[in-house]
């Protein structure tokens, strides 16, 4: 789990905030609590590692509205929604909007902590993937347009002879381009180059 991750708790019920803070801190996790969505937004800055534990029904901006706002702003903080008045339709709406979990009160501490751990692990994996994509993008930027073409064809499974015919060059020229692609991409094998191409083309959110 990410050691610098924070569990952000937004709930208008002070007793619930205190209870959740004690529970989360008792496991060694860092936690910050907020009495409303507005107070949270005033202090949160994008990019912080962690997850958001969010009450659905609050005065002012509701939990679902805060979830939607964060999504529109491109903030990828994993959201766990908590409510004492949930129903199936609300749960479905929350999950479709990207919530990683939806928990109804009363809940077991173990269930909530398991959900938090899952959300933090989701955040950690997403950050690792985003970092890897950024690194691959930097390597791709070093390729010439022709090297890009060769890499695309190579990772599509085309042979050097097929690439040479498609580009109107010799197979030896393709081999030279291919070698430079492998060097610039720092790929030790064709399989690794294919994995890089797939990750670069993936549509995972930034």
């Amino acid at each position: 789990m990410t050691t610098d991750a924070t569990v952000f708790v937004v709930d208008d019920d002070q007793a619930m905030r205190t209870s959740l803070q004690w529970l989360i801190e008792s496991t060694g996790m860092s936690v910050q609590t907020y009495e409303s969505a507005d107070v949270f937004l005033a202090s949160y800055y994008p990019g912080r590692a962690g997850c958001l534990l969010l009450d659905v029904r609050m005065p002012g901006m509701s939990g679902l509205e805060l979830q939607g706002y964060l999504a529109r702003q491109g903030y990828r903080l994993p959201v766990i929604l908590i409510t004492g008045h949930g129903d199936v339709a609300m749960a479905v709406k929350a999950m479709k909007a990207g919530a990683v979990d939806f928990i109804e009160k009363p809940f077991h501490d173990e269930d909530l902590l398991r959900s938090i751990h899952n959300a933090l692990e989701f955040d950690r994996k997403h950050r690792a993937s985003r970092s890897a994509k950024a690194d691959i993008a930097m390597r791709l930027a070093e390729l010439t347009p022709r090297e890009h073409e060769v890499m695309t064809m190579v990772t599509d499974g085309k042979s050097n002879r097929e690439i040479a015919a498609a580009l109107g060059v010799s197979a030896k020229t393709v081999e030279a381009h291919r070698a430079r692609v492998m060097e610039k991409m720092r790929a030790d094998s064709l399989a690794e180059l294919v994995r890089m191409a797939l990750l670069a083309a993936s549509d995972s959110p930034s």
Side-chain angles (χ1 to χ4, degrees):
M1 185 184 301
T2 307
T3 56
D4 62 348
T6 299
V7 180
F8 303 97
V9 176
V10 184
D11 197 311
D12 63 304
D13 184 332
Q14 182 175 352
M16 178 59 72
R17 291 198 307 274
T18 301
S19 175
L20 288 171
Q21 181 171 5
W22 178 87
L23 173 64
I24 296 166
E25 287 181 340
S26 72
T27 66
M29 290 185 282
S30 174
V31 58
Q32 294 180 6
T33 64
Y34 307 87
E35 64 192 51
S36 70
D38 289 337
V39 173
F40 168 75
L41 290 173
S43 64
Y44 177 75
Y45 56 88
R48 294 185 66 181
C51 68
L52 178 59
L53 193 56
L54 184 58
D55 189 25
V56 168
R57 297 180 186 270
M58 295 185 292
M61 183 183 288
S62 71
L64 290 178
E65 289 170 340
L66 175 57
Q67 180 193 15
Y69 174 83
L70 293 174
R72 290 192 298 275
Q73 297 301 312
Y75 299 165
R76 304 302 179 184
L77 191 64
V79 172
I80 301 169
L81 288 162
I82 297 180
T83 182
H85 311 279
D87 56 26
V88 174
M90 186 179 291
V92 170
K93 181 177 180 180
M95 299 301 286
K96 284 185 175 180
V100 296
D101 206 350
F102 184 97
I103 298 177
E104 291 187 78
K105 303 173 187 175
F107 50 80
H108 294 293
D109 291 350
E110 294 79 5
D111 292 337
L112 179 62
L113 291 174
R114 186 182 305 110
S115 180
I116 290 173
H117 279 283
N118 289 341
L120 293 178
E121 179 65 9
F122 177 89
D123 185 57
R124 184 194 66 78
K125 289 181 177 179
H126 170 72
R127 289 172 182 279
S129 175
R130 184 171 59 188
S131 176
K133 285 189 68 172
D135 184 50
I136 292 171
M138 291 179 62
R139 299 181 194 185
L140 285 170
E142 298 177 4
L143 302 181
T144 66
R146 178 46 59 90
E147 288 165 354
H148 269 288
E149 288 181 304
V150 171
M151 177 175 170
T152 299
M153 294 183 184
V154 166
T155 55
D156 280 344
K158 291 183 170 55
S159 66
N160 286 353
R161 182 177 299 178
E162 291 173 318
I163 297 172
L167 298 180
V169 298
S170 68
K172 185 171 291 188
T173 298
V174 172
E175 289 177 6
H177 284 311
R178 183 168 177 162
R180 284 194 294 271
V181 167
M182 298 293 286
E183 179 182 359
K184 290 182 178 180
M185 293 302 294
R186 299 194 283 281
D188 295 328
S189 65
L190 176 57
E192 186 177 1
L193 188 68
V194 171
R195 284 195 294 270
M196 289 181 182
L198 291 172
L199 183 57
S202 67
D203 195 27
S204 60
S206 61

